Amino acid sequence: MTIDEIKQGESDTLEFKREMPSKDSKLLKTIVDFSNGRGGRIVFGVDNRTLDIVGIEASKVFKFMDGLANMISDAIYPQVNPRITFETIDDKTIVIADVLPGQNQPYCLKAEGSLDGVYIRVAATTRKAEREKIRELVLLGEGKSYDKLFERHAPASEQAIKNLCKVIEQYSHKRSVRLENMLGWGLLKEESGKLLPSIAFRLLAENDLHFARIQCGLFKGTDKVYFLDRKEFDGPLNEQIDNAYNFILQHINIGAEIKGLYRKDVPEIPTEVIRELIVNAVMHRNYLAHSNIQVCIFDDRIEITNPGGLYGGLTLEKMLSGISSIRNELIADIFLKMGIVEKWGTGVKRVRELCKENGLADVEYSADEDFFTVVIRRRKKFPKSSPKVPRKFPEKVHPKSSPELPETLSEGAVKTFKELKKNPSASSTEIGKIIGLTSRAVKKHFAILKEHGLIEYVGSQKGGHWIIKDGK
């Protein structure tokens, strides 16, 4: 510990104490909240107001350290064993207690019990934990993910199972998703002749949890005073993502870009950025908290807030460096299988790169114990969409041809086909930005459409284009 570090003052992981009273419940609560969170350091012998080093009397240092260790051991459950050391600064001795993130959360004050004695860190303050936070800490301490828990009050219906299998097939382009897959992935469990649904299954299949919704609002100006439009989206998580994504696109500026003979709509914020941030909010929110995700559109920014701060000891610094801690492991795994996310832990980097490429400011992130918020700054000047330019088609492409689309085609394949009709020279990346899918997913749609005889590619790899074939 240095004088410069002390002069910077207290923080959410650092506290100063002039001395140790015989019974200091505030001190013990701080140790509990450090153990239930990211850990922290308490320095004794420093005045927390003036930041002056007053020191601990040298002849009493070892007795002080033993007394501190005993007080912590007697008052906190499960047992906390901080690393207690001493240092000398300017000929004065300070005692330092380093508290690590606990492995047996939740920790509590014995005198107050396991429900009322649990404390957590909120900014630089100590606060009593709410019931849902305690339950999440219990699961974290047991190494469990809430979305993997199974519901026993009502078995999964046959129709809900069929519907979810079909949805996963459409998104992932698997030939077949069956009950065996659901059981193997942990979405369902067979018990006493019944198929029990996991929390993840409920959210992905029918989602009857009234608080697991996305609230979207368009506001006049830069604060939450006057609504111009608002919608609330419930239902399966994939539908919520699509609906919130479309709500944003409906209420931001769309410009026009002409490439050669073709006109392309260009949103002021890249569609991949919008979709990535909505997906992250849905995937990482705390489903124990009875609050909704909120998407707010203002004149100068878009804010997306989800219940549940950073999880598992993750800090903003670690998150921005690419480290991830996944709160809903099963939902994240299914999203990966469906192609809704490509890789875990790469979203922040991808969003930063896209914003830079498109001349946007970096996305702003903030978090506390209860909420996580991202802010996307809108462009101050962005050209609104100009009158549509009539599209011209290369030879051999008839704009009025209307091939019959097989009913088995997924929604993504149909969207890809429609965009190809508008611009047969569009790349998979360009189409992906328009319909909100990855380039890899669009390439899969190309292959499926080609397999059905609906499209054919002619010309060189870089200068060619797709031909839309006439229906029979």
Side-chain angles (χ1 to χ4, degrees):
M1 195 86 194
T2 66
I3 292 178
D4 288 341
E5 289 175 325
I6 291 173
K7 293 304 179 185
Q8 289 177 12
E10 295 181 320
S11 69
D12 56 347
T13 56
L14 176 63
E15 281 202 7
F16 298 130
K17 299 287 183 184
R18 186 182 180 93
E19 57 189 12
M20 183 181 66
S22 56
K23 291 184 180 180
D24 188 350
S25 61
K26 185 178 179 182
L27 166 63
L28 293 169
K29 289 174 184 177
T30 299
I31 294 172
V32 168
D33 77 50
F34 280 163
S35 300
N36 283 327
R38 296 187 285 120
R41 169 176 282 192
I42 303 172
V43 180
F44 299 89
V46 176
D47 190 301
N48 67 316
R49 294 182 179 179
T50 65
L51 303 182
D52 291 333
I53 302 173
V54 296
I56 303 296
E57 190 176 332
S59 62
K60 297 181 179 179
V61 167
F62 291 108
K63 183 178 180 181
F64 184 101
M65 293 168 66
D66 287 343
L68 177 60
N70 291 334
M71 180 195 297
I72 294 170
S73 178
D74 292 343
I76 298 174
Y77 180 82
Q79 189 169 15
V80 174
N81 297 302
R83 180 173 176 264
I84 303 175
T85 58
F86 68 90
E87 293 181 14
T88 301
I89 300 178
D90 287 348
D91 296 326
K92 294 179 180 178
T93 302
I94 61 173
V95 173
I96 301 171
D98 285 307
V99 183
L100 297 175
Q103 299 298 311
N104 299 300
Q105 298 173 353
Y107 293 84
C108 68
L109 293 180
K110 291 180 182 178
E112 296 183 12
S114 59
L115 290 179
D116 294 323
V118 179
Y119 293 86
I120 57 175
R121 198 72 168 171
V122 180
T125 63
T126 297
R127 194 177 76 185
K128 191 183 290 286
E130 301 291 342
R131 292 293 186 266
E132 63 266 15
K133 183 62 181 179
I134 295 173
R135 190 175 179 191
E136 186 176 49
L137 287 171
V138 170
L139 292 170
L140 185 62
E142 295 175 350
K144 295 178 180 178
S145 175
Y146 173 64
D147 64 333
K148 290 183 177 180
L149 299 183
F150 290 95
E151 297 277 17
R152 287 181 163 76
H153 67 278
S157 69
E158 184 178 344
Q159 189 59 50
I161 295 171
K162 286 181 179 179
N163 290 344
L164 184 54
C165 285
K166 185 177 180 181
V167 168
I168 296 175
E169 283 177 5
Q170 290 175 340
Y171 272 80
S172 62
H173 313 297
K174 287 182 176 293
R175 291 296 180 187
S176 177
V177 175
R178 300 181 179 179
L179 174 59
E180 291 76 13
N181 300 115
M182 297 283 180
L183 292 166
W185 295 336
L187 286 169
L188 297 170
K189 180 172 77 170
E190 195 166 9
E191 187 175 282
S192 303
K194 297 179 180 179
L195 292 172
L196 303 182
S198 63
I199 298 295
F201 178 90
R202 287 181 65 187
L203 291 165
L204 292 163
E206 295 176 314
N207 188 10
D208 53 354
L209 300 177
H210 70 277
F211 52 84
R213 300 175 178 178
I214 302 181
Q215 295 174 326
C216 296
L218 173 68
F219 295 89
K220 181 180 180 180
T222 59
D223 48 28
K224 296 180 181 178
V225 179
Y226 298 109
F227 271 108
L228 296 178
D229 189 16
R230 54 180 165 183
K231 295 283 175 59
E232 186 170 287
F233 302 113
D234 53 15
L237 296 186
N238 63 291
E239 292 182 8
Q240 290 189 33
I241 291 170
D242 289 342
N243 288 330
Y245 168 81
N246 289 325
F247 182 90
I248 293 178
L249 287 185
Q250 288 168 9
H251 294 297
I252 61 175
N253 294 321
I254 306 293
E257 184 180 89
I258 307 298
K259 285 190 175 181
L261 299 174
Y262 307 104
R263 173 190 182 278
K264 178 183 176 183
D265 290 337
V266 182
E268 61 174 296
I269 298 169
T271 55
E272 286 183 59
V273 169
I274 296 170
R275 192 169 188 86
E276 182 73 35
L277 295 177
I278 294 172
V279 169
N280 283 344
V282 170
M283 187 166 68
H284 294 298
R285 70 151 288 173
N286 180 5
Y287 286 99
L288 280 163
H290 288 202
S291 300
N292 297 300
I293 293 172
Q294 290 191 341
V295 176
C296 301
I297 304 175
F298 302 96
D299 287 354
D300 62 341
R301 69 196 186 280
I302 297 174
E303 290 183 2
I304 302 173
T305 301
N306 60 269
L310 294 171
Y311 180 74
L314 190 66
T315 64
L316 280 174
E317 292 75 19
K318 289 180 179 178
M319 185 200 78
L320 292 172
S321 71
I323 298 172
S324 64
S325 180
I326 299 172
R327 176 181 267 114
N328 301 297
E329 296 176 2
L330 186 49
I331 290 173
D333 184 47
I334 301 302
F335 276 8
L336 191 64
K337 286 179 169 63
M338 293 170 72
I340 292 176
V341 295
E342 288 189 354
K343 293 179 181 178
W344 295 341
T346 62
V348 172
K349 181 180 178 183
R350 187 162 58 251
V351 165
R352 185 187 297 124
E353 290 172 349
L354 285 166
C355 287
K356 186 176 181 180
E357 288 172 9
N358 289 271
L360 291 171
D362 282 345
V363 172
E364 301 163 22
Y365 302 90
S366 61
D368 57 26
E369 285 295 330
D370 297 319
F371 295 99
F372 182 86
T373 300
V374 297
V375 177
I376 316 163
R377 294 293 169 183
R378 300 181 65 180
R379 298 177 190 269
K380 292 182 179 179
K381 292 184 179 180
F382 188 79
K384 293 184 179 180
S385 183
S386 56
K388 292 189 177 181
V389 178
R391 295 184 177 91
K392 295 183 180 180
F393 295 80
E395 287 184 352
K396 299 184 181 180
V397 179
H398 196 292
K400 293 183 180 180
S401 64
S402 180
E404 295 178 4
L405 299 180
E407 293 183 1
T408 55
L409 281 185
S410 67
E411 182 182 357
V414 172
K415 288 181 178 179
T416 300
F417 180 79
K418 289 180 179 178
E419 291 303 323
L420 278 179
K421 284 183 68 179
K422 297 175 186 176
N423 184 359
S425 298
S427 67
S428 58
T429 301
E430 291 171 333
I431 290 179
K433 287 181 179 179
I434 295 171
I435 65 177
L437 294 177
T438 64
S439 173
R440 185 175 63 179
V442 173
K443 285 179 180 177
K444 289 181 180 179
H445 294 324
F446 284 170
I448 292 169
L449 293 170
K450 189 176 179 182
E451 199 174 291
H452 282 283
L454 296 169
I455 61 174
E456 181 182 353
Y457 193 82
V458 296
S460 64
Q461 186 174 356
K462 290 186 177 180
H465 61 266
W466 291 98
I467 290 179
I468 310 300
K469 295 193 173 183
D470 291 334
K472 295 181 180 180

